[in-house]
Amino acid sequence: MTSLAYRGPSTERATDWRDKAACRTADPAVFFPIGTTGPAVQQAEKAKAVCRGCPVVTECLDWALNSGEENGIWGGLTEDARRSLQRAAHRRDLTPEEAAARAAAARQPGRPRTLQTIYDDHTVPLPGGHLGWNGGQKVSYRGRNYTSKQLAFTLARGHAPTGAVTADCGISACVLGAHMADQTERAVCGTRGGYQRHLRNAETACARCRQANTDADNRLRRTGTTLTAAGAR
């Protein structure tokens, strides 16, 4: 009688969703970036790109959430994104469809953080064509702090302001770039020359300069000169 050699218990696992994963031939290190800034951000975006084309991305995310996996990118979501999804699901009692929609949005490519995206993300329309600010008192970007008005001025003019920045539209809460004026501009704003400077810079003239230009035109028609009695134009 021929005896069979003992092979011990099988170490083979049953076939499951992992066999269809898009990452099975990728470098595993890509899915475990160290940190959340600099090169780690680019690494995370590379991993998320793989996940977005994966046929079992939902199963992968479900596994990570149900097993409490804390490290790495699973289902196209970073560690922070998974924690955020779990908190939202707990607080708001999300439906499966709502949770899936949040997960799909979280695995989309991230936008670069620039002064413009910071401004866009934290401004809201106000009546009369003004813009309000719903962010913090100061914004830190590349080692420099900006107030909301400094940020608006810098984006609108292409250079940093001199001195304090204020809204010259009469709405103190406004942060629309065209309505901002720094110390240098306030020194010449409210004059016809200030209005012409706005035009040369391809800027929307501030309210004070528009009024000054209108007043100068009216004086020209009445008296033949734009000069006031004090000699200002």
Side-chain angles (χ1 to χ4, degrees), residues 40-189:
V41 175
Q42 297 178 349
Q43 185 178 339
E45 290 298 327
K46 183 177 180 180
K48 288 165 61 177
V50 175
C51 296
R52 286 194 294 272
C54 181
V56 291
V57 65
T58 300
E59 291 86 343
C60 178
L61 178 58
D62 288 344
W63 178 88
L65 294 175
N66 293 332
S67 65
E69 178 59 59
E70 296 182 354
N71 300 311
I73 295 172
W74 298 85
L77 270 65
T78 63
E79 299 150 6
D80 287 343
R82 289 199 303 278
R83 285 192 288 267
S84 176
L85 178 60
Q86 288 178 312
R87 287 194 298 268
H90 179 71
R91 290 196 310 267
R92 306 178 190 177
D93 193 23
L94 299 180
T95 66
E97 292 76 18
E98 290 171 335
R102 284 183 66 102
R107 66 175 65 101
Q108 294 308 305
R111 287 191 307 164
R113 186 174 186 266
T114 65
L115 285 180
Q116 188 65 58
T117 59
I118 294 170
Y119 182 76
D120 292 343
D121 288 343
H122 294 291
T123 49
V124 293
L126 295 178
H130 304 277
L131 282 181
W133 180 260
N134 64 4
Q137 291 186 346
K138 289 189 176 182
V139 170
S140 179
Y141 180 73
R142 294 187 175 180
R144 177 170 181 173
N145 291 326
Y146 298 81
T147 66
S148 58
K149 287 180 169 53
Q150 288 172 338
L151 175 58
F153 180 96
T154 300
L155 287 172
R157 305 297 192 275
H159 61 82
T162 300
V165 179
T166 59
D168 62 8
C169 58
I171 307 298
S172 61
C174 181
V175 293
L176 183 66
H179 294 174
M180 301 295 100
D182 69 351
Q183 181 177 323
T184 300
E185 290 187 359
R186 285 194 299 274
V188 296
C189 277

Side-chain angles (χ1 to χ4, degrees), residues 151-230:
L151 175 58
F153 180 96
T154 300
L155 287 172
R157 305 297 192 275
H159 61 82
T162 300
V165 179
T166 59
D168 62 8
C169 58
I171 307 298
S172 61
C174 181
V175 293
L176 183 66
H179 294 174
M180 301 295 100
D182 69 351
Q183 181 177 323
T184 300
E185 290 187 359
R186 285 194 299 274
V188 296
C189 277
T191 66
R192 189 182 183 93
Y195 178 84
Q196 293 169 341
R197 177 185 53 78
H198 284 303
L199 296 184
R200 288 195 301 272
N201 294 338
E203 301 167 353
T204 300
C206 69
R208 292 172 57 206
C209 285
R210 291 198 303 272
Q211 185 60 54
N213 187 62
T214 298
D215 293 344
D217 284 341
N218 290 336
R219 284 195 300 273
L220 181 63
R221 285 191 292 269
R222 290 195 312 268
T223 67
T225 178
T226 61
L227 293 175
T228 65

